Amino acid sequence: MIYICIGIIIFLWITVGFSRRRRRRRKIIFVSDCICVGCRRCVRRCRHDVLEALKGERGTRVTVKRPERCTACGKCIDKCMYGALKLIERV
């Protein structure tokens, strides 16, 4: 019985890994400049160092610094209180 449970856990772990890789190839994060207020919550949450906060004429805004590192995990989207981030299809 324990071997069946361990087998199911390993199977689910592998399946989730493949779906993340597939999603990573298709999606990327997009920052809407007109909605972003520059609070940097998403920058602090991103483990892959994809986002960067830049100071400009209109104040601090978040931009996508390294799009090739984005895994489309969505953790930065969860942290954004203003809805400025969304996942879009890669070009």
Side-chain angles (χ1 to χ4, degrees):
M1 180 67 175
I2 191 140
Y3 294 115
I4 293 173
C5 292
I6 292 173
I8 290 172
I9 290 171
I10 291 172
F11 174 75
L12 290 174
W13 181 65
I14 290 171
T15 305
V16 169
F18 284 131
S19 80
R20 281 187 183 166
R21 284 189 203 126
R22 230 179 290 128
R23 182 175 60 190
R24 180 171 133 189
R25 282 185 246 137
R26 294 181 312 199
K27 301 280 187 176
I28 192 167
I29 195 72
F30 172 76
V31 181
S32 177
D33 289 335
C34 59
I35 301 173
C36 179
V37 296
C39 66
R40 298 183 182 132
R41 292 179 72 183
C42 57
V43 176
R44 289 188 295 264
R45 182 66 176 135
C46 183
R47 298 181 321 162
H48 304 287
D49 198 28
V50 174
L51 301 171
E52 178 181 34
L54 298 174
K55 292 185 180 181
E57 298 172 358
R58 295 177 41 207
T60 303
R61 295 290 182 250
V62 175
T63 61
V64 179
K65 177 172 69 170
R66 295 187 180 127
E68 69 279 356
R69 288 182 158 192
C70 184
T71 61
C73 63
K75 292 181 181 178
C76 56
I77 295 172
D78 295 338
K79 281 294 182 181
C80 184
M81 297 180 349
Y82 304 98
L85 302 172
K86 63 181 175 179
L87 288 174
I88 60 170
E89 295 291 324
R90 285 188 191 257
V91 183

